[in-house]
Amino acid sequence: MVTTAAQPPAHAAAPDLNRVWHGFRLDGKFLDGAPYGNGHIHETFAARSRQPDGSVRRHILQRLNTMVFPDVPRLMANILRITEHIRSQQPLFPGRNPALETLTVVPARDGAPFLTDAAGRAWRSYEFIEKTVTRLAVATPAQAREAAHAYGRFLRYLETLPAPLPQVLLPGFHHTPGRFAELDRALTLDPCNRAVTVKPETKLALAHANLAEILPRLQAAGALPERIVHNDTKPDNILFAAGGNRATAVIDLDTVMPGLSLHDFGDMVRTMACADTSAGMGFLPDFFAALTEGWLGAAAGRFTAAEVEHLPVAGQIITCELGVRFLTDYLLGDVYFRTQRPGHNLDLNYPQ
Ligand code: ADP
Ligand code: GN1
Ligand code: MG
């Protein structure tokens, strides 16, 4: 079942980052902290501290969205297993060191992988991966190829993750028929009387409903193996080397769960092989070709014939699925994604 979560109130008090920083096992003297990045789920801050040797270090502090991830201990247990496994892998790819390609959790003072502040809100901290940038969109096919290779490497590193599998914290996350059912419910409930304002968008979504069953049907027929996948493969979840094309690390591991490789590829097509051109939303064949090259290059022959054959339609499916999610969120009153202005959920460019 797909669930819809409400965001913590937008008026949540500005956090005392000094106090939060001191809750983690960090050395040095807290200097300052500020909002960081463009994630749609958590509130992310970068905190700076002066180290005993005089240098300045940064750490990520994230106030977690517990409406989306209510079970923080299980969330962090997944992340520790995933990051520790990746870190322990031998290099599989020339010039790449898996230990440097993943996040490092900073424990709280009591040793737990997160802390709860005085207001009852959960926080985690990561080592800041320096000399990197995230991109809301890739600028060249070379960047798309690099990103796809990084997400492909990620799958390879996790192939050997020992049992048990990471826990499924977001059931039905990429179950496209469930997302359509959510849209149906939102249209029926129409709590904000917005359905009348989104008739063209609704018509467009419903016209593509046939896409929803394609992957579930193939999976049921045994043509698509379940793998541990990332599930949120937009460019913003890759750290690229500053001033270059190299993909340094894959981040945002909250959605890593057993799932389908085609969902990961499809979300890359949605976010890296489509652009808003003067003629409307357009598909970019050269970026698609670069994604395919990077993805299959990293997979090194491991995908089944069905996983390769369905790469093109995967982009359509996930584009449709996310369109349905944003539309549903708009109908429900912008309660899930962090929107920055009225109508943001309807903006063609928002998904980036
Ligand atoms: P959300 O789930 O809200 O998208 P993310 O975990 O993706 O949150 O983090 C939001 C942004 O913060 C990322 O897109 C990236 O720019 C930045 N970020 C997160 N972790 C790190 C890190 N360890 N080092 C550097 N930047 C990071
Ligand atoms: C959210 O966390 P973030 O911003 O990387 C969302 C994804 C969407 C994406 C759209 C847990 O990702 O599913 O594809 O926004 N994550 C969750 O930009 O719902
Ligand atoms: Mg993110």
Side-chain angles (χ1 to χ4, degrees):
M1 230 256 311
V2 177
T3 51
T4 302
Q7 286 236 23
H11 51 78
D16 181 349
L17 292 177
N18 184 358
R19 195 154 170 198
V20 172
W21 185 91
H22 277 95
F24 288 98
R25 276 192 194 155
L26 292 169
D27 295 328
K29 184 178 176 320
F30 175 84
L31 293 174
D32 53 29
Y36 192 80
N38 293 287
H40 296 332
I41 301 297
H42 306 295
E43 291 169 88
T44 303
F45 304 86
R48 300 189 317 143
S49 56
R50 174 85 55 204
Q51 296 302 294
D53 66 3
S55 63
V56 172
R57 273 186 80 183
R58 289 194 288 178
H59 290 90
I60 291 287
L61 299 177
Q62 269 182 337
R63 181 154 64 174
L64 300 178
N65 184 333
T66 47
M67 305 287 186
V68 177
F69 295 102
D71 193 339
V72 175
R74 290 212 303 161
L75 172 69
M76 294 313 294
N78 273 359
I79 287 182
L80 282 177
R81 282 196 62 226
I82 292 158
T83 52
E84 282 166 10
H85 179 74
I86 293 176
R87 205 167 295 110
S88 73
Q89 293 298 287
Q90 294 304 311
L92 288 176
F93 300 91
R96 306 280 180 178
N97 179 354
L100 305 177
E101 291 187 70
T102 196
L103 292 165
T104 305
V105 174
V106 177
R109 293 231 168 257
D110 64 1
F114 66 97
L115 63 79
T116 306
D117 69 14
R121 299 290 308 273
W123 289 81
R124 71 181 163 204
S125 173
Y126 290 125
E127 301 278 356
F128 196 102
I129 302 177
E130 293 289 355
K131 300 188 185 139
T132 60
V133 290
T134 41
R135 299 195 157 97
L136 290 179
V138 290
T140 61
Q143 288 174 3
R145 189 180 304 109
E146 260 290 303
H149 197 273
Y151 282 126
R153 291 198 298 279
F154 184 80
L155 257 58
R156 291 285 306 280
Y157 296 144
L158 290 177
E159 262 181 358
T160 49
L161 184 75
L165 295 175
Q167 308 196 50
V168 176
L169 301 178
L170 301 169
F173 191 61
H174 278 307
H175 185 60
T176 318
R179 296 299 188 180
F180 270 95
E182 288 264 298
L183 173 61
D184 257 7
R185 274 197 293 279
L187 284 166
T188 307
L189 287 173
D190 198 16
C192 306
N193 301 315
R194 289 179 173 182
V196 67
T197 66
V198 288
K199 286 197 168 153
E201 290 84 352
T202 306
K203 194 169 161 204
L204 183 68
L206 297 179
H208 290 85
N210 60 319
L211 289 169
E213 295 292 345
I214 296 175
L215 297 184
R217 216 178 288 133
L218 283 166
Q219 191 176 13
L224 299 176
E226 196 170 70
R227 303 176 184 278
I228 302 170
V229 295
H230 186 279
N231 282 316
D232 190 4
T233 51
K234 56 185 196 178
D236 193 47
N237 290 331
I238 295 259
L239 297 178
F240 288 92
N245 287 341
R246 190 180 167 88
T248 304
V250 169
I251 61 166
D252 201 346
L253 308 177
D254 300 327
T255 50
V256 177
M257 289 179 282
L260 300 182
S261 66
L262 286 168
H263 290 147
D264 277 6
F265 189 78
D267 211 21
M268 287 193 271
V269 176
R270 174 181 76 90
T271 55
M272 296 190 243
C274 297
D276 194 6
T277 65
S278 50
M281 237 15 210
F283 172 68
L284 308 171
D286 45 345
F287 284 73
F288 178 84
L291 287 175
T292 308
E293 220 176 282
W295 184 240
L296 296 181
R302 278 170 158 72
F303 289 145
T304 64
E307 281 177 300
V308 177
E309 258 165 48
H310 292 86
L311 293 176
V313 78
Q316 295 174 41
I317 294 167
I318 294 292
T319 303
C320 170
E321 179 185 294
L322 264 292
V324 163
R325 284 181 67 193
F326 287 115
L327 179 56
T328 303
D329 195 36
Y330 179 75
L331 286 164
L332 294 178
D334 308 309
V335 290
Y336 185 94
F337 295 108
R338 290 163 63 81
T339 50
Q340 279 136 31
R341 58 177 185 277
H344 206 170
N345 262 321
L346 296 181
D347 187 337
L348 280 182
N349 280 315
Y350 174 63
Q352 304 296 343

